[in-house]
Amino acid sequence: MEQTILTASKNYPELDGYLWQNHFKTVLLVCDSSLPLLEISKYFDEAEQRLSVKFVKFQDFEPNPQYESVVEGVKAFHQNHCDSIIAVGGGSAMDVAKCIKLYSNMDPACHYLQQEIVPNTVELLAIPTTAGTGSEATRYAVIYLNGEKQSIADESCIPHTVLFDASALKTLPEYQKKSTMMDALCHGIESYWSVNSTEESQSFSKQAIGMILECKDSFLKNEDSGNESMLKAAYIAGKAINITQTTAGHAMCYKLTSLYGISHGHGAALCVAKLWPYMVQNSLKCIDLRGEGYLNHIFHQIALSMGCPTVEGGIQFFCNLLNELKLDAPNAQASDFSLLSRSVNPVRLKNNPVRLDSKAINALYHEILDRKEDSK
């Protein structure tokens, strides 16, 4: 699906045009708690009277959104006779909005996760307030049911329109800026080496990695130009992931996030920093049908995208970046490793170019958390 990309300017005339052109009357505004802190919040407050458009705010969800929250969102969509959806926020707001769109034409008397998805024409506009998840570019959404992660994937949940608003990144805490940037970088890297990669996805990966590193300093200084470039880089990395899906780096990071309370991007970066050298050392276990030689070539291409002439240099560059950002490994207990190893989704490992068994995963977690393995 071809998306429409808008870039915000002062007073958001782009949004005026979008709303006028589509003749919307009642919009479900799916937003997280950051909205009152953003410049765009004032726009929505004033647009109701100025444009005769009603915005129904839906904020009843948590950072790891529950299925029940999506159900309430679908109810709000119908009870208020909404004709479109706008999502303003990070990955969670995007995921909730995507699922509300997907489920809006389903039978509310039956469990949505057990029904077949039928595409609909409900318009979805995404306004990302972090530069990392790339959710505004993908067909994926994540929600939780009874504590279990549910991955939803369907082309029809990709937002029709994306608005890049650099001012939305101004209020991000420093830690979130660092970790979301690393999430986008890991998307670029993992997509590059995924067994599902294509020439198109690798082009997106290369472009995203280069853009992220080029605008990194400006972004971390909270400059407008850096914020705008990082939004676009994260989006491009999302387009790569939309083709390939993530690999073991992301599969292994989810439990780190919930167990230690670190951000998703922080966890993913810790995993990629150890996964990459492991795969280089164990390239004989390559499961990519294009072969070991091809995989080693891709590792080299990733390093070149970082401005490093060798794979070893690329790995060192990535690790140095983690140290520079002070994204350290959390403190782990010996009892954590069994739990961590059991948490890895084997489906995600099918996308990883090097075979990982339970012993390798356990050893990697010890490397990631900087603890020696217990003697057998």
Side-chain angles (χ1 to χ4, degrees):
M1 184 189 77
E2 193 68 31
Q3 290 178 295
T4 299
I5 304 299
L6 305 174
T7 301
S9 54
K10 188 176 181 180
N11 298 323
Y12 301 96
E14 301 79 13
L15 263 182
D16 280 358
Y18 171 79
L19 295 167
W20 279 330
Q21 181 181 351
N22 290 285
H23 308 290
F24 295 138
K25 296 300 180 185
T26 307
V27 178
L28 186 70
L29 184 59
V30 180
C31 50
D32 57 30
S33 58
S34 70
L35 182 62
L37 305 175
L38 307 178
E39 291 181 21
I40 202 169
S41 179
K42 185 178 178 182
Y43 173 88
F44 291 119
D45 291 338
E46 296 178 347
E48 289 210 3
Q49 184 173 2
R50 187 167 56 82
L51 303 177
S52 298
V53 178
K54 181 180 179 182
F55 294 99
V56 178
K57 290 183 181 178
F58 181 73
Q59 299 176 290
D60 187 20
F61 58 90
E62 299 174 351
N64 292 315
Q66 304 297 310
Y67 168 79
E68 292 79 9
S69 296
V70 174
V71 172
E72 291 303 311
V74 176
K75 287 180 183 177
F77 180 86
H78 289 300
Q79 288 171 356
N80 291 280
H81 307 289
C82 297
D83 49 21
S84 65
I85 304 170
I86 294 179
V88 183
S92 296
M94 299 292 167
D95 288 349
V96 170
K98 287 178 174 181
C99 289
I100 292 172
K101 170 183 162 56
L102 287 179
Y103 302 158
S104 63
N105 64 337
M106 292 188 183
D107 183 357
C110 301
H111 202 292
Y112 291 131
L113 290 171
Q114 296 173 0
Q115 297 183 55
E116 181 181 355
I117 294 173
V118 179
N120 60 60
T121 58
V122 174
E123 284 281 334
L124 172 58
L125 166 66
I127 306 175
T129 59
T130 65
T133 69
S135 183
E136 67 277 5
T138 73
R139 65 186 188 274
Y140 307 113
V142 173
I143 56 176
Y144 289 80
L145 178 65
N146 300 324
E148 295 295 322
K149 177 173 170 273
Q150 308 293 318
S151 296
I152 292 90
D154 195 88
E155 290 286 338
S156 64
C157 80
I158 300 175
H160 302 93
T161 306
V162 179
L163 175 69
F164 292 133
D165 180 11
S167 71
L169 274 57
K170 281 284 190 183
T171 58
L172 273 182
E174 183 182 28
Y175 174 68
Q176 290 301 324
K177 295 203 79 166
K178 292 176 179 179
S179 60
T180 52
M181 178 182 75
M182 293 306 292
D183 190 20
L185 184 57
C186 289
H187 282 163
I189 293 171
E190 288 189 60
S191 178
Y192 218 141
W193 67 40
S194 170
V195 299
N196 302 318
S197 66
T198 64
E199 286 188 12
E200 182 182 28
S201 72
Q202 288 175 2
S203 175
F204 287 142
S205 291
K206 180 179 180 179
Q207 186 180 358
I209 291 169
M211 286 181 67
I212 290 166
L213 297 180
E214 183 178 349
C215 70
K216 169 179 72 73
D217 293 339
S218 178
F219 171 69
L220 294 175
K221 290 176 184 176
N222 218 5
E223 297 173 349
D224 290 342
S225 59
N227 287 339
E228 183 175 333
S229 294
M230 193 62 74
L231 276 170
K232 293 177 180 177
Y235 170 76
I236 294 168
K239 286 176 72 69
I241 286 298
N242 189 51
I243 295 171
T244 66
Q245 300 180 278
T246 51
T247 65
H250 268 65
M252 295 180 69
C253 84
Y254 287 105
K255 198 63 181 180
L256 293 179
T257 299
S258 61
L259 188 60
Y260 301 112
I262 61 175
S263 74
H264 173 72
H266 183 174
L270 291 173
C271 292
V272 167
K274 300 301 181 182
L275 178 64
W276 190 1
Y278 174 87
M279 293 199 299
V280 171
Q281 294 162 12
N282 291 273
S283 60
L284 282 172
K285 298 178 182 179
C286 173
I287 61 173
D288 192 314
L289 296 179
R290 291 167 289 193
E292 181 189 2
Y294 169 84
L295 178 59
N296 287 324
H297 168 73
I298 290 301
F299 289 150
H300 187 228
Q301 291 302 305
I302 295 171
L304 290 176
S305 299
M306 296 177 168
C308 302
T310 65
V311 174
E312 293 74 15
I315 293 170
Q316 190 60 56
F317 178 90
F318 187 89
C319 293
N320 289 345
L321 180 56
L322 264 182
N323 292 332
E324 174 191 328
L325 298 175
K326 295 183 170 56
L327 295 177
D328 302 322
N331 294 320
Q333 303 298 318
S335 58
D336 293 346
F337 292 97
S338 176
L339 177 64
L340 287 164
S341 297
R342 292 198 308 270
S343 74
V344 178
N345 183 349
V347 174
R348 293 288 183 92
L349 297 185
K350 292 178 181 178
N351 303 328
N352 204 69
V354 170
R355 183 181 297 106
L356 297 174
D357 57 20
S358 57
K359 183 178 179 181
I361 292 169
N362 185 271
L364 277 167
Y365 272 126
H366 280 80
E367 288 283 330
I368 291 163
L369 296 170
D370 197 24
R371 281 181 62 102
K372 295 186 183 298
E373 288 191 71
D374 300 327
S375 58
K376 303 293 187 289

